[in-house]
Amino acid sequence: MKHENSARFARQLDKADPLKAYRSKFHIPKINGKRSHYFTGNSLGLQPKTTNSYIQDELKDWAQLGVEGHLHGKRPWLYYHHFTKKALAAIVGAKPIEVVAMHQLTVNLHLMMISFYQPTPTRYKIIMEAGAFPSDQYAVETQIKFHGFDPGEALIELEPRAGEHALRTEDILAAIHQHKDQLALVLFSGVQYYTGQFFDIRSITQAGHQAGAYVGFDLAHAVGNVPLQLHRDQVDFAVWCSYKYLNSGPGSVAGAFVHEKHAHKSNLPRLAGWWGHNEKERFLMQKGFKPIPGIDGWQLSNFPVLAGAPHLASLEIFQEAGMKVLRKKSLLLTGYLEFLLKEIDPVENHFTILTPADPKQRGCQLSLFFHRNGKRIFQALTKAGVIGDWREPNVIRVAPVPLYNSFMDVYSFASVLQKALR
Ligand SMILES: *Cc1c(COP(=O)(O)O)cnc(C)c1O
């Protein structure tokens, strides 16, 4: 399709958008009494209007039933995590036994590494992308130290080639091959939080396995954003949070995936709690941990129902809309943003887009690196009603989300940016 830099064209795209009805299902924040142009769904997704009633249901059951809510609530609390499985499985391309909502992202990453990072004196290295999200860096650093190894030697961090912003898949695969005799774990982002690069999960997993290593992914910026096929791609484990593209509210319950091939390995090393114990025997209160087969066997504590309620409200919307349709609009929406940005600054005089130009290698986010005045431009955007995201040293991340962002949002962003640059 040939794009145009005009409000008329953006309105046309909105009119033809099969997902246009979804925007009104969300609360859009206001700036100075006016509806903002919200581009930070990559940081905190917007609140569905149904969230309130999902939380009210649980407050009501708690008030009226007390402890009986565990069994007799509208959605019995004892089984609450089961209610998340179907939607999560569809979103990440998995089977229900492979996914569950539990804990928080970094906690889940540690739990997964306890099971899938088992270094030996000869095989102890971890490969990950350089500049990973700090929490992941800290988790990896401390896991390596926990096992008595030196992060300076055990951790291999891959940088893009000089003058490039994204990693080339061929370089990732070559590095995995190069370290194959000492490699214990390959751990990558699904979508890189800073550059917006969507890594080739299938190829990286295949290469990791050929090298004799486990392969895991942090899907914080991928889940609900890009198509995923974790089961088919043979990924060993994955973790994610639910408050970014999954719109489940600040600090809400996270999620995790363990491939079915590991579902019945009850001897995998792990840290356990009673919620991961055989459900039929959980309340016998006996010694001897017997893990539930599949990811449920990694649950430690009883489910945080008041965080789960907004998660369910949001997952219902994802089930209804479907990732296929969402991705289709997302490609168009971000493609339109990219087109407008190139119109504004054709020779990269003001900024460079760090995110790969190939739509298959990105989600909805574009990361703009400003050559100068980045902070001032960001402030001008905010003043004009654009909610974006600033990252040091000079980057504005813009994430048009197909569920609630419109083509007019994208057009407005571009025209405000154009004015700010002048
Ligand atoms: C958002 C994000 C986190 C946040 O971790 P929490 O445990 O949810 O606080 C961690 N890693 C990545 C890659 C993220 O994008």
Side-chain angles (χ1 to χ4, degrees):
M1 184 191 312
K2 204 168 159 344
H3 289 310
E4 284 173 33
N5 184 3
S6 74
R8 194 184 59 91
F9 184 75
R11 268 191 223 102
Q12 247 173 27
L13 288 176
D14 278 329
K15 226 168 151 187
D17 171 13
L19 290 170
K20 60 177 172 242
Y22 281 85
R23 181 172 168 83
S24 64
K25 293 178 192 277
F26 289 84
H27 292 289
I28 315 264
K30 292 188 171 158
I31 291 187
N32 300 328
K34 268 184 66 182
R35 224 198 245 181
S36 66
H37 303 291
Y38 193 82
F39 288 107
T40 41
N42 56 352
S43 187
L44 184 73
L46 290 182
Q47 182 187 140
K49 288 179 181 166
T50 48
T51 300
N52 189 24
S53 77
Y54 272 74
I55 297 176
Q56 288 306 322
D57 284 346
E58 304 314 331
L59 291 177
K60 202 163 81 193
D61 279 351
W62 180 21
Q64 293 178 352
L65 302 171
V67 73
E68 295 291 312
H70 281 298
L71 283 171
H72 302 298
K74 178 175 175 186
R75 303 178 193 95
W77 303 330
L78 204 51
Y79 309 112
Y80 218 89
H81 58 280
H82 291 285
F83 309 146
T84 64
K85 280 176 177 278
K86 200 170 157 207
L88 287 175
I91 291 169
V92 302
K95 296 185 176 184
I97 192 175
E98 296 174 319
V99 290
V100 78
M102 63 178 187
H103 318 132
Q104 298 288 23
L105 187 160
T106 309
V107 173
N108 288 341
L109 181 56
H110 275 297
L111 292 177
M112 292 295 112
M113 287 187 74
I114 288 288
S115 297
F116 294 101
Y117 178 55
Q118 286 297 317
T120 67
T122 50
R123 198 177 264 286
Y124 56 91
K125 288 188 178 171
I126 299 178
I127 283 190
M128 73 193 294
E129 86 268 19
F133 195 89
S135 198
D136 302 50
Q137 291 188 37
Y138 305 150
V140 167
E141 174 192 333
T142 52
Q143 284 272 346
I144 291 171
K145 286 183 181 162
F146 174 78
H147 287 284
F149 291 87
D150 170 14
E153 208 230 328
L155 179 58
I156 314 294
E157 295 178 287
L158 305 185
E159 308 247 14
R161 293 186 190 185
E164 298 186 8
H165 312 296
L167 277 161
R168 297 192 194 187
T169 303
E170 65 203 83
D171 291 352
I172 299 173
L173 304 188
I176 291 172
H177 185 72
Q178 185 199 333
H179 293 279
K180 69 178 188 308
D181 295 330
Q182 298 154 329
L183 200 56
L185 176 66
V186 177
L187 179 66
F188 258 78
S189 303
V191 172
Q192 224 284 337
Y193 87 98
Y194 183 75
T195 64
Q197 179 177 13
F198 178 19
F199 292 111
D200 184 342
I201 291 179
R202 190 179 203 166
S203 304
I204 292 172
T205 305
Q206 216 169 34
H209 288 163
Q210 270 164 13
Y214 283 124
V215 183
F217 287 88
D218 183 332
L219 302 177
H221 282 260
V223 70
N225 177 20
V226 291
L228 296 165
Q229 289 291 343
L230 299 185
H231 179 83
R232 182 201 72 188
D233 293 348
Q234 296 290 320
V235 170
D236 292 296
F237 71 86
V239 295
W240 56 85
C241 54
S242 70
Y243 49 81
K244 291 171 181 166
Y245 295 106
L246 290 186
N247 307 324
S248 302
S252 190
V253 63
F257 164 96
V258 166
H259 198 279
E260 192 179 28
K261 65 191 166 191
H262 304 301
H264 299 280
K265 295 181 184 165
S266 57
N267 57 348
L268 264 178
R270 72 177 95 194
L271 298 179
W274 73 320
W275 229 248
H277 186 80
N278 180 336
E279 245 170 333
K280 290 195 195 76
E281 295 181 9
R282 187 187 286 149
F283 289 94
L284 298 180
M285 309 307 216
Q286 285 169 341
K287 280 179 84 70
F289 176 67
K290 294 183 199 156
I292 303 169
I295 185 68
D296 290 22
W298 273 267
Q299 297 173 103
L300 299 180
S301 299
N302 74 94
F303 190 80
V305 169
L306 293 181
H311 196 30
L312 282 186
S314 171
L315 289 177
E316 184 164 281
I317 295 173
F318 273 88
Q319 267 185 300
E320 195 188 289
M323 278 309 297
K324 261 212 180 97
V325 182
L326 285 170
R327 174 64 169 175
K328 200 167 165 209
K329 174 175 172 187
S330 180
L331 290 171
L332 204 56
L333 199 60
T334 296
Y336 189 49
L337 173 62
E338 184 183 40
F339 164 81
L340 294 174
L341 290 172
K342 293 217 161 121
E343 290 266 300
I344 294 174
D345 189 27
V347 291
E348 300 189 11
N349 181 25
H350 297 283
F351 57 83
T352 299
I353 302 175
L354 301 181
T355 312
D358 173 9
K360 284 202 203 70
Q361 292 185 58
R362 67 188 188 201
C364 72
Q365 169 187 325
L366 294 183
S367 306
L368 316 185
F369 181 88
F370 283 82
H371 303 304
R372 60 191 166 274
N373 298 335
K375 200 75 190 242
R376 260 185 25 222
I377 289 159
F378 183 70
Q379 282 157 358
L381 286 168
T382 309
K383 227 173 135 193
V386 170
I387 304 184
D389 167 284
W390 174 259
R391 290 285 138 159
E392 296 297 340
N394 243 328
V395 169
I396 297 176
R397 300 184 305 168
V398 193
V401 169
L403 268 177
Y404 48 74
N405 280 120
S406 62
F407 291 89
M408 262 313 275
D409 274 337
V410 167
Y411 175 78
S412 305
F413 169 80
S415 43
V416 171
L417 177 62
Q418 192 163 22
K419 268 185 221 132
L421 291 178
R422 279 204 220 106

